[in-house]
């Protein structure tokens, strides 16, 4: 079977990793790279660095990866759709819901695969967590809380922490729970002298009744990527930095300590850290995109799903602006 010809638009901080994985991936051939800013990380190899998207398309590509700043996603995606090229766009899907909707419509009209790079869905800890929740291992799920914080990345200039980092947690929460957000209330802060927010506290509820909480910021000296799912049988903690999944079970033995036994909540039980097959999430994501283009699987993050995530993220920003809860 002939390899799919793939082009990469943007070889910056994230694009360089796409280039590496695409070169390692069976069934695809990275034939073209375009970036008007050149090749700062030296990933082009023997390929010429083309000046723009038109030159990229002219090489005769079947599929493309768009890893340019968010402000340019819409224009690039619409151009690729018009040319009949299946496209994976880095998250968030676009700079606005209206732009994202135009992208969804363009790819749907052409019958093309349009995907969004919400890479956390392909993290081994979260994939196993979703499987175990669906199997009922934790019983009824009560709450999902996420923490995503760390230092400010100087490469991000066109969006705030809500769209850059918060979109990860909004998407993974709805995906793990298999239920979209219904309401959200948020507060934000601006402390780094930029036009955009750099700290978020958001709380809400999913359509299936699970309450959620998202802590996101660019103001922490420690990097943290944690998802905690609390249910009737215990709590799962997924650390997507390390790909680890741990289960803290509710205690099953009665306590004879009078002071503690008076408490009517749960007690501490066994702690289990699961051994997982830890494959690189970006590679798994590209395998899914490749297979979707071939018509073999459907577990990519579709542009429709990316648009829903963006709507919730914009709801977070709107809620912080107005002081009111937003309903979807």
């Amino acid at each position: 079977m002939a390899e799919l010809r793939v082009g990469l638009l943007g070889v910056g901080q994230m694009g360089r990793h796409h280039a590496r994985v695409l070169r390692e991936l069976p069934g695809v051939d990275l034939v073209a790279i375009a970036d008007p800013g050149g090749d700062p990380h030296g990933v082009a190899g023997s390929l010429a660095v083309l000046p723009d998207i038109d030159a990229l398309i002219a090489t005769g590509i079947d599929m493309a990866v768009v890893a340019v700043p968010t402000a340019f996603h819409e224009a690039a995606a619409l151009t690729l759709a018009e040319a009949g090229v299946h496209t994976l766009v880095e998250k968030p899907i676009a700079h606005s819901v209206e732009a994202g909707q135009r992208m969804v419509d363009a790819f749907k009209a052409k019958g093309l695969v349009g995907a969004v790079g919400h890479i956390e869905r392909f993290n081994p800890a979260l994939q196993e967590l979703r499987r175990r929740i669906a199997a009922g291992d934790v019983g009824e799920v009560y709450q999902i809380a996420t923490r995503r914080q760390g230092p400010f990345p100087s490469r991000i200039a066109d969006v705030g922490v809500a769209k850059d980092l918060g979109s990860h947690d909004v998407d993974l929460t709805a995906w793990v729970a298999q239920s979209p957000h219904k309401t959200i209330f948020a507060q934000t802060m601006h402390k780094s002298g930029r036009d955009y927010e750099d700290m978020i506290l958001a709380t809400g509820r999913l359509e299936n009744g699970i309450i959620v909480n998202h802590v996101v910021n660019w103001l922490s000296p420690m990097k943290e990527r944690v998802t905690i799912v609390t249910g009737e049988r215990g709590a799962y903690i997924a650390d997507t930095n390390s790909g680890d999944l741990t289960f803290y079970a509710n205690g099953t033995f009665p306590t004879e300590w009078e002071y503690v036994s008076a408490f009517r909540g749960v007690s501490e039980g066994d702690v289990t850290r699961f051994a997982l097959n830890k494959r690189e999430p970006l590679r798994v994501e590209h395998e899914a995109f490749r297979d979707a283009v071939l018509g073999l699987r459907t577990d990519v993050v579709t542009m429709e799903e990316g648009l829903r995530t963006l709507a919730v993220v914009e709801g977070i920003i709107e809620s912080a602006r107005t002081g009111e809860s937003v309903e979807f």
Side-chain angles (χ1 to χ4, degrees), residues 120-134:
E120 291 286 50
R121 288 202 196 184
F122 301 94
N123 188 285
L126 291 177
Q127 290 197 331
E128 181 67 8
L129 175 58
R130 185 177 192 260
R131 187 189 70 77
R132 289 180 176 274
I133 291 174

Side-chain angles (χ1 to χ4, degrees), residues 20 24 44-45 59 78 81 91 106 110 129 165 169 188 190 192 200 223-224 226 232 255 257 285 298 306:
R20 171 181 54 81
E24 298 171 351
T59 63
L78 294 183
K91 62 81 200 160
K110 291 283 188 175
L129 175 58
L165 287 190
D169 289 331
T188 62
H190 299 68
S192 58
I200 300 168
K223 185 176 181 180
E224 189 176 36
V226 175
E232 62 178 320
T255 179
W257 184 7
E285 179 181 66
T298 58

Side-chain angles (χ1 to χ4, degrees), residues 7-10 34-36 51-58 61 63-90 92-95 99-100 102-104 106-107 110 112-115 158 303:
L8 173 60
L9 180 65
D35 193 320
D52 53 39
I53 193 170
D54 294 327
L56 191 74
I57 292 170
I61 54 176
M63 50 193 276
V65 176
V66 175
V68 295
T70 304
F72 304 115
H73 285 188
E74 179 190 9
L78 294 183
T79 300
L80 289 162
E82 184 61 30
V85 179
H86 304 285
T87 301
L88 169 67
V89 180
E90 264 301 339
I93 182 174
H95 63 281
R102 288 189 288 270
M103 292 165 62
V104 168
F107 280 83
K110 291 283 188 175
L112 297 166
V113 176
D158 59 338
M303 285 190 172

